[in-house]
Amino acid sequence: METLMELKPPAECTSPTASIWQDVLAQAVTGELVAAMNYAALAEICDDPREAGEAREHAAIERAHAAAFMAAGRKIGVDVVSNVDGKHWKRLSGAFMGCVAERDTIGCLIVQEIMLESFALASYTRVANVAPGSLGKVFGAIAADEQEHADHAMAILKAERDANPDRFDDKLHRLHLEVMSTLAKMLAKDCRDGHCEVCVSSCVKPSLFEVSLSAAQLRGASLQQYLKTLDALGLPGEITLAWIAQLPV
Amino acid sequence: MDCTAAGVAPRVDFALVGHPESWKAAADVFSALRGPDRIPLPDDELKDILPWIPPRAVCRVDVKSIADAEAHGLYIDSFIPPDRLDAACVRENLTRVRAAAAYAIKAGARIVSLGGFSSILIEGNFDQLPPRRSTIFTTGNTLTVAFIVQGIEKMCAQEGRSLRRSTLLVVGATGDVGSGCVRCLAPKVRRVLLHARNVERLRRLAAELEAEGVDVEIGTDLGSFSEEADVVVCAASLPSPSLLLGRVAPDALVCDAGYPKNLSPDAATSRATVFFGGLGQMTGGLKFDPDLQGILNRHPFPDVVHGCLLEGIALTLEGRFESFSRGRGAITPPHVMEIETIAARHGIVLAPFFNAAGPVTLQ
């Protein structure tokens, strides 16, 4: 009779960088689980049954992403932990739930699709370029999925902005101050506010160079994706530049 | 500022495409945008963040003419990192300029001036720019030449120098700005020394001048010329200002018209008069929103702007939406005269003289 250990799929690789990938995956899984919770909550406030169904579908997709990342971790011989109550993620989730409490579906889409997805899409794409073997493929495939989500939401948000640009931009700025400031702290080169409560031991950022990544690169790529999304929505560049310039570092 | 109805995008007549001249200049802009309540971005953070910023408007620009015309535009930064202006980054920088041009087109600008390195990268080949329906591009180099030539003439007059008896050295003589300066100034001096890297282009330009009866000497090495120059136009940034040492008369008049400007009057030419050339001043009115006056245009005098950017503004105020400067060494004295007349009509005049140390006072 085979033991449980023998049934476990063999690790694709165990390398000195495995612990770095473990923390990178922990952030990704946490982000996906937060997104799943967000979409599930959004489904509850959608008046249109079709939209509610889509939100539930998105929640399921995000859970599947989290599962795929965990499986990718097992393949390289690491157990991926997650912590949706980690301090940054809790704050990001709190911003979304604030919109839910106000039954503000547009606010929800702004937080999830413009801000969190910009971060996810840009980060996953960078990681996909350097991660070994199947790990890189998983990040690449999920990045492509996230792009599809974002494209879908953009049409709704563009129509909302076209209807009343000032109201839309004011709301976006209010959420930017809350969400993007948290993301900026999360992506800062040093964690000045202490441990993020997601990395398994010490902060992974100083080690990222060992896998050809850096916190500065992930932050830069995320900000770039965010600005491009705001441009596509039609926000004036001189306004969004000032917003970015004012973020904490 | 042009206050339009809520939600309606303000009118964009013109766009000025530029890039940070130095990290200090970029830091000053970011500090201003961060506001007084936030600490300035540390240098290392700025260097990490800036290269990721997609080209975009930095501020709105409103101008008024002394002839009562007004126009509204955008200053668009391509965010080429100041330490990546070299040849190794041409492809990357060209992509940035194209993206800045696309931004201007999307904003609805009718005319776009390509400032600083932007026009050098495009090299007069406007086909490299994104498809556009009604947006016109100009390198702005003709007005830059006009202000360089005006500066040389005015400075000579102020210092009591005889331009007619001068030996003129033009560094970067075969470029768009350099060749324009040569064509304008050569008939007004005793002798012309042409310096550039490409000897074939030097020969062609020299032949053109010799056909007009100009006494010309060419060289790819500054040390090879048979005599010292007493009037110098640096239309290209020198790798080191010290290259001019011993190559020009000790009391020479030196116009630093390169970009970025790097001729410090105390480094290479302690007795020479060094001034920054190619700059003009908007006397009718110039406003930035957000207010980056003196930050985007870091000069010791107000409302001073590079001639290449002012050309687009002058053409807008005149209602002439055309590619006045197309690059590739086509700037001629009649063109220069035409654009300086247009500019002057709208109160765009030669800037007061200054250099890296501040205003230039007559000795």
Side-chain angles (χ1 to χ4, degrees):
Chain A
M1 189 179 165
E2 287 174 314
T3 63
L4 192 60
M5 187 62 88
E6 284 163 339
L7 283 172
K8 222 173 154 182
E12 195 175 84
C13 67
T14 45
S15 70
T17 57
S19 64
I20 297 171
W21 294 120
Q22 185 180 28
D23 284 341
V24 170
L25 283 163
Q27 296 289 352
V29 170
T30 304
E32 294 298 333
L33 292 178
V34 166
M37 285 159 48
N38 287 351
Y39 280 118
L42 174 61
E44 299 302 315
I45 61 163
C46 285
D47 296 327
D48 182 341
R50 194 176 54 88
E51 285 176 7
E54 278 181 5
R56 274 190 285 274
E57 191 184 320
H58 280 174
I61 291 170
E62 304 294 11
R63 275 192 296 275
H65 288 167
F69 281 135
M70 291 176 79
R74 283 193 294 276
K75 266 194 169 180
I76 60 165
V78 296
D79 285 324
V80 181
V81 294
S82 62
N83 182 9
V84 293
D85 289 325
K87 68 179 170 200
H88 296 307
W89 286 109
K90 193 174 184 178
R91 222 172 282 152
L92 294 170
S93 174
F96 187 94
M97 294 306 166
C99 296
V100 170
E102 291 172 16
R103 302 187 69 81
D104 178 4
T105 54
I106 293 300
C108 289
L109 288 181
I110 288 172
V111 172
Q112 184 60 42
E113 301 289 357
I114 296 184
M115 297 170 182
L116 299 182
E117 296 296 1
S118 287
F119 161 61
L121 179 58
S123 305
Y124 293 176
T125 305
R126 305 300 297 186
V127 174
N129 289 338
V130 297
S134 62
L135 187 58
K137 285 185 185 140
V138 170
F139 271 100
I142 293 177
D145 261 6
E146 303 295 7
Q147 178 68 66
E148 266 184 46
H149 282 191
D151 290 347
H152 171 74
M154 281 298 281
I156 299 169
L157 293 173
K158 184 89 173 63
E160 182 72 13
R161 184 175 191 272
D162 289 348
N164 190 335
D166 289 345
R167 187 180 63 190
F168 184 90
D169 294 359
D170 284 348
K171 178 182 290 188
L172 207 153
H173 187 219
R174 184 173 51 79
L175 292 166
H176 163 92
L177 292 174
E178 193 175 356
V179 176
M180 292 308 291
S181 297
T182 303
L183 275 176
K185 283 180 188 163
M186 197 167 145
L187 291 166
K189 285 195 284 191
D190 306 306
C191 285
R192 296 204 176 109
D193 301 341
H195 197 275
C196 69
E197 300 165 357
V198 176
C199 286
V200 173
S201 56
S202 59
C203 179
V204 72
K205 289 180 199 170
S207 311
L208 286 174
F209 77 93
E210 291 178 41
V211 294
S212 304
L213 288 172
S214 71
Q217 190 186 66
L218 294 176
R219 174 180 61 184
S222 300
L223 291 179
Q224 185 182 73
Q225 181 65 38
Y226 175 56
L227 285 171
K228 283 181 176 174
T229 306
L230 299 183
D231 289 348
L233 284 171
L235 275 87
E238 68 274 22
I239 302 288
T240 56
L241 178 65
W243 291 0
I244 289 293
Q246 290 164 8
L247 286 172
V249 289
Chain B
M1 286 289 120
D2 179 34
C3 295
T4 51
V8 177
R11 192 177 95 202
V12 178
D13 302 311
F14 64 87
L16 315 172
V17 172
H19 56 86
E21 205 168 302
S22 62
W23 282 113
K24 173 80 175 78
D28 287 350
V29 170
F30 271 78
S31 286
L33 294 177
R34 279 175 76 78
D37 299 333
R38 294 176 185 83
I39 56 157
L41 274 185
D43 289 349
D44 61 326
E45 296 281 5
L46 180 65
K47 288 180 181 180
D48 279 342
I49 291 171
L50 183 137
W52 293 95
I53 299 176
R56 63 194 40 254
V58 172
C59 62
R60 306 196 75 80
V61 183
D62 288 353
V63 293
K64 273 190 182 163
S65 148
I66 55 169
D68 276 345
E70 59 177 49
H72 312 281
L74 294 174
Y75 175 77
I76 297 170
D77 204 317
S78 58
F79 291 110
I80 296 173
D83 53 6
R84 289 195 212 163
L85 287 169
D86 50 66
C89 303
V90 165
R91 193 179 291 259
E92 173 194 330
N93 292 340
L94 196 51
T95 302
R96 287 178 186 272
V97 173
R98 285 176 54 86
Y103 191 100
I105 292 166
K106 193 177 171 196
R110 297 184 67 186
I111 190 164
V112 183
S113 271
L114 298 169
F117 249 67
S118 313
S119 62
I120 295 171
L121 286 161
I122 296 295
E123 283 186 330
N125 186 359
F126 289 171
D127 292 342
Q128 293 190 71
L129 294 168
R132 64 259 180 204
R133 268 197 213 138
S134 55
T135 302
I136 296 296
F137 287 84
T138 182
T139 67
N141 285 345
T142 311
L143 190 54
T144 297
V145 170
F147 286 140
I148 293 168
V149 173
Q150 282 181 27
I152 292 285
E153 290 175 332
K154 188 173 176 183
M155 194 56 107
C156 282
Q158 283 185 1
E159 291 196 336
R161 293 170 188 264
S162 166
L163 187 58
R164 173 59 58 198
R165 288 200 293 271
S166 296
T167 297
L168 169 72
L169 166 65
V170 179
V171 178
T174 58
D176 199 38
V177 169
S179 60
C181 291
V182 169
R183 289 191 187 98
C184 290
L185 287 169
K188 300 176 180 178
V189 298
R190 183 181 63 83
R191 191 151 193 265
V192 180
L193 313 177
L194 304 179
H195 173 267
R197 285 175 298 187
N198 186 316
V199 74
E200 276 311 308
R201 286 188 191 171
L202 276 172
R203 283 188 185 132
R204 278 201 297 272
L205 183 60
E208 180 188 323
L209 296 172
E210 280 163 350
E212 303 287 323
V214 176
D215 183 5
V216 189
E217 185 178 341
I218 62 171
T220 54
D221 174 5
L222 278 170
S224 68
F225 290 110
S226 60
E227 64 174 298
E228 289 179 336
D230 41 24
V231 174
V232 182
V233 174
C234 286
S237 283
L238 285 168
S240 167
S242 63
L243 286 172
L244 279 179
L245 272 173
R247 269 63 184 233
V248 301
D251 61 347
L253 174 62
V254 180
C255 172
D256 184 354
Y259 192 90
K261 299 188 186 301
N262 64 350
L263 294 181
S264 172
D266 56 347
T269 49
S270 57
R271 284 176 51 206
T273 302
V274 179
F275 72 99
F276 288 170
L279 296 139
Q281 191 172 34
M282 284 284 321
T283 59
L286 172 70
K287 279 186 184 169
F288 298 133
D289 182 18
D291 185 7
L292 296 172
Q293 185 74 258
I295 296 167
L296 265 185
N297 51 344
R298 300 151 46 86
H299 309 301
F301 297 99
D303 302 336
V304 169
V305 179
H306 286 279
C308 51
L309 299 179
L310 287 171
E311 182 175 300
I313 293 175
L315 291 168
T316 303
L317 291 169
E318 186 76 356
R320 278 182 61 169
F321 297 99
E322 59 187 80
S323 294
F324 196 89
S325 305
R326 302 186 60 87
R328 303 193 161 191
I331 297 172
T332 62
H335 279 113
V336 172
M337 204 174 294
E338 187 179 3
I339 195 67
E340 68 186 6
T341 304
I342 291 170
R345 189 151 49 231
H346 296 286
I348 301 172
V349 298
L350 178 67
F353 295 121
F354 63 93
N355 59 32
V360 174
T361 49
L362 287 179
Q363 293 165 357

